[in-house]
């Protein structure tokens, strides 16, 4: 990487312009619950690039909801292509105790819904691409900014990219990582267990089959026999497998034997496990219970949306010696920041890119603990540093 070139480009970074852009993105509502969630923010980003004489595209994904794709450079050399991927949707604002759209700055942090998840990263990515274009840097490869829809629900924006492009060699997803390189995370599936019993009057329970009692046996088997096995499973890149009993519903009223009980589970799985193996482990429990209880009737099903049925929410594992990891390490060290490697505790669109063969990592400003919170914020210094790191990586990968 030409460090003199990078040094000269850093001098063109107007930090006030970057933070004003972040404020503007925060000020545009794009939360789930709106009719066209990302429409307004997508159009703003499109015109932002257009006004700087770039060639963005609004790519319709669902109704009036569009990805914003803006590339710069040459496509011919796949080994020098990079995607900066950031989602434009946010969670709802109902729990917030501050103005969700103010973007006000206090104690060195910017506040508002999406401040950390992930409009600060989106702004830093946009500005990094723009700085390269403004300087008319000739790239051997190509960098893409991809502002995608729907990450907070079904990840339909990035799924659309998997089918329609662009596909790059490398990718960075800007989820909040505290400026750590997070090159792996667990896969995610929500699973619904349905136990069927038989309704009857509570005064004559022998005439019914109590589904809650049957579900109690399922939970006991999970806690005593399956959960200890899951907790032993760890992956050096993606982290530990996990199992959470999330919701349970059963019965209609106290005087009725419940004929159905539903348990919903959050299952974080790692490379070496699959969606099928996760379901099969539950089916093994059902078979075991059925051997001594012929009245037991249960099934487990994936709760994924239609769009995610084939792929689901797979794990991410990018090797530590991948060029994207090494480039980010170089960038952090050059900017006198710690180059720490870890795993992302949540799920990200990076796993979908990885599924398609993209060597992708999570790297973004701010703390995951602030995401979805009632006073969501991101440190301003992190936003500026993230932009510098993205810029360095563009030059290192694509030049």
């Amino acid at each position: 990487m030409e460090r003199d070139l990078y040094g000269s480009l850093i001098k063109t970074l107007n930090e006030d312009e970057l933070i004003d852009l972040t404020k503007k993105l925060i000020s545009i509502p794009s939360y789930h619950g709106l009719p066209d969630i990302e429409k307004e923010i997508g159009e703003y980003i499109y015109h932002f690039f257009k006004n700087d004489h770039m060639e963005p595209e609004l790519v319709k994904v669902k109704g009036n909801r569009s990805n914003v794709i803006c590339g710069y450079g040459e496509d011919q050399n796949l080994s020098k292509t990079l995607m900066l991927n950031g989602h434009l949707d946010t969670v709802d604002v109902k729990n917030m105790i501050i103005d969700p759209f103010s973007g006000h700055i206090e104690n060195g942090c910017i506040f508002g819904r999406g401040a950390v998840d992930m409009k600060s990263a989106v702004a830093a990515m946009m500005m990094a691409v723009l700085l390269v274009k403004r300087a008319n840097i000739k790239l051997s490869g190509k960098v893409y900014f991809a502002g995608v829809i729907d990450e907070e629900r079904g990840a339909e924006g990035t799924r659309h990219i998997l089918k329609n492009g662009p596909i790059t060699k490398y990718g960075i997803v800007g989820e909040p990582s505290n400026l750590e390189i997070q090159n792996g995370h667990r896969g995610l599936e929500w699973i619904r267990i349905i136990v069927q019993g038989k309704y009857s009057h509570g005064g004559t329970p022998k005439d019914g089959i109590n589904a809650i009692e049957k579900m109690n046996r399922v939970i006991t088997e999970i806690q005593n026999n399956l959960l200890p096995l899951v907790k032993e499973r760890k992956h050096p890149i993606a982290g530990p497998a996990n199992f959470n009993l999330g919701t349970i519903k059963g019965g209609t009223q106290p005087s009725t034997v419940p004929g159905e009980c539903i348990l919903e589970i959050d299952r974080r799985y790692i490379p070496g496990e699959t969606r099928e193996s996760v379901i099969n482990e539950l089916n093994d429990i059902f078979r075991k219970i059925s051997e001594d209880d012929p009245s037991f009737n249960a099934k487990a099903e994936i709760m994924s949306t239609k769009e995610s049925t084939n792929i689901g929410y797979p794990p991410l594992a990018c090797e530590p010696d991948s060029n994207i990891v090494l480039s980010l390490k170089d960038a952090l060290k050059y900017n006198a920041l710690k180059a720490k490697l870890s795993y992302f505790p949540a799920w990200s669109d990076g796993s979908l890119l990885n599924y398609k063969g993209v060597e992708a990592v999570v790297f973004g400003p701010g703390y995951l603990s602030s995401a979805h919170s009632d006073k969501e914020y991101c440190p301003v210094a992190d936003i500026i540093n993230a932009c510098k790191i993205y810029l360095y990586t563009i030059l290192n990968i694509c030049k």
Side-chain angles (χ1 to χ4, degrees):
M1 210 276 292
E2 301 173 35
R3 293 188 172 180
D4 289 343
L5 174 61
Y6 174 69
S8 65
L9 270 183
I10 283 295
K11 293 177 183 177
T12 69
L13 171 60
N14 184 326
E15 295 179 1
D16 290 338
E17 181 185 18
L18 171 58
I19 301 308
D20 285 345
L21 173 59
T22 307
K23 286 182 181 178
K24 179 62 181 178
L25 298 182
I26 292 171
S27 76
I28 302 173
S30 58
Y31 60 88
H32 284 268
L34 295 173
D36 300 307
I37 300 165
E38 306 90 351
K39 183 176 185 292
E40 185 180 354
I41 192 171
E43 290 176 349
Y44 176 82
I45 292 171
Y46 172 86
H47 290 294
F48 182 88
F49 281 124
K50 198 78 173 173
N51 291 339
D52 241 294
H53 310 290
M54 297 194 74
E55 297 180 359
E57 293 180 81
L58 279 172
V59 182
K60 282 200 172 185
V61 177
K62 186 176 183 180
N64 290 322
R65 301 169 66 188
S66 300
N67 289 341
V68 188
I69 308 294
C70 188
Y72 178 77
E74 301 294 333
D75 259 328
Q76 288 85 347
N77 191 345
L78 181 64
S79 67
K80 289 183 172 291
T81 53
L82 171 67
M83 180 187 298
L84 303 179
N85 179 296
H87 66 82
L88 307 182
D89 61 322
T90 73
V91 296
D92 204 347
V93 299
K94 291 177 182 177
N95 69 320
M96 299 200 75
I97 59 175
I98 60 171
D99 182 346
F101 313 117
S102 70
H104 76 278
I105 294 176
E106 181 182 337
N107 297 325
C109 296
I110 189 166
F111 289 80
R113 179 57 83 221
V116 80
D117 189 17
M118 51 179 291
K119 294 181 178 181
S120 292
V122 167
M125 289 173 166
M126 291 169 63
M127 192 57 61
V129 174
L130 202 53
L131 289 177
V132 177
K133 186 269 171 190
R134 284 175 178 174
N136 293 315
I137 303 298
K138 182 173 175 59
L139 299 180
S140 302
K142 192 165 187 175
V143 58
Y144 288 94
F145 167 81
V148 298
I149 72 162
D150 196 52
E151 188 276 343
E152 296 290 357
R153 293 290 176 89
E156 291 185 33
T158 297
R159 293 182 198 279
H160 188 273
I161 288 175
L162 300 193
K163 296 176 184 177
N164 302 281
I167 297 299
T168 57
K169 175 69 174 175
Y170 303 105
I172 300 175
V173 174
E175 297 285 0
S177 72
N178 192 26
L179 299 182
E180 294 179 5
I181 306 165
Q182 295 180 333
N183 60 318
H185 62 64
R186 299 162 294 192
L188 164 65
E189 288 299 345
W190 285 0
I191 300 168
R192 181 181 292 114
I193 296 175
I194 304 170
V195 171
Q196 296 291 348
K198 180 183 177 183
Y199 290 100
S200 74
H201 193 283
T204 56
K206 62 181 177 56
D207 295 329
I209 299 173
N210 194 308
I212 292 177
E213 291 180 2
K214 306 296 184 184
M215 184 65 81
N216 182 51
R217 177 76 186 274
V218 173
I219 293 172
T220 300
E221 288 290 337
I222 288 173
Q223 290 181 316
N224 291 347
N225 298 313
L226 179 56
L227 194 54
L229 293 177
V230 171
K231 286 183 175 180
E232 290 177 358
R233 298 170 189 164
K234 295 179 175 62
H235 189 271
I237 297 175
N242 195 35
F243 200 117
N244 182 60
L245 308 180
T247 71
I248 189 165
K249 304 169 189 174
T252 57
Q253 62 173 349
S255 61
T256 299
V257 173
E260 182 178 79
C261 187
I262 298 173
L263 175 67
E264 294 178 341
I265 294 168
D266 178 303
R267 178 67 156 86
R268 307 284 167 149
Y269 67 99
I270 59 175
E273 299 182 290
T274 65
R275 302 171 88 201
E276 293 74 22
S277 71
V278 165
I279 291 292
N280 286 340
E281 286 183 325
L282 294 171
N283 286 331
D284 287 343
I285 287 175
F286 302 159
R287 279 191 290 271
K288 178 182 177 182
I289 297 173
S290 296
E291 286 174 2
D292 58 18
D293 183 357
S295 68
F296 180 79
N297 180 9
K299 67 176 181 178
E301 60 186 23
I302 297 289
M303 295 169 60
S304 297
T305 62
K306 182 180 178 182
E307 283 293 321
S308 66
T309 299
N310 294 330
I311 301 173
Y313 300 83
L316 166 66
C318 182
E319 293 298 328
D321 59 355
S322 168
N323 197 24
I324 188 63
V325 174
L326 299 178
S327 293
L328 285 167
K329 279 186 174 181
D330 286 347
L332 287 161
K333 290 175 182 177
Y334 184 78
N335 285 277
L337 298 168
K338 290 183 180 179
K340 185 177 178 181
L341 211 59
S342 61
Y343 71 88
F344 186 55
W347 185 87
S348 81
D349 278 348
S351 69
L352 298 177
L353 298 176
N354 192 224
Y355 179 88
K356 194 69 174 180
V358 179
E359 295 177 35
V361 299
V362 173
F363 180 87
Y367 305 93
L368 181 64
S369 58
S370 176
H372 305 188
S373 70
D374 56 3
K375 289 182 67 175
E376 184 175 345
Y377 71 92
C378 184
V380 169
D382 275 17
I383 304 170
I384 295 167
N385 282 326
C387 185
K388 292 177 179 179
I389 302 306
Y390 296 146
L391 179 60
Y392 186 107
T393 308
I394 292 170
L395 295 179
N396 205 20
I397 295 287
C398 305
K399 185 73 171 72

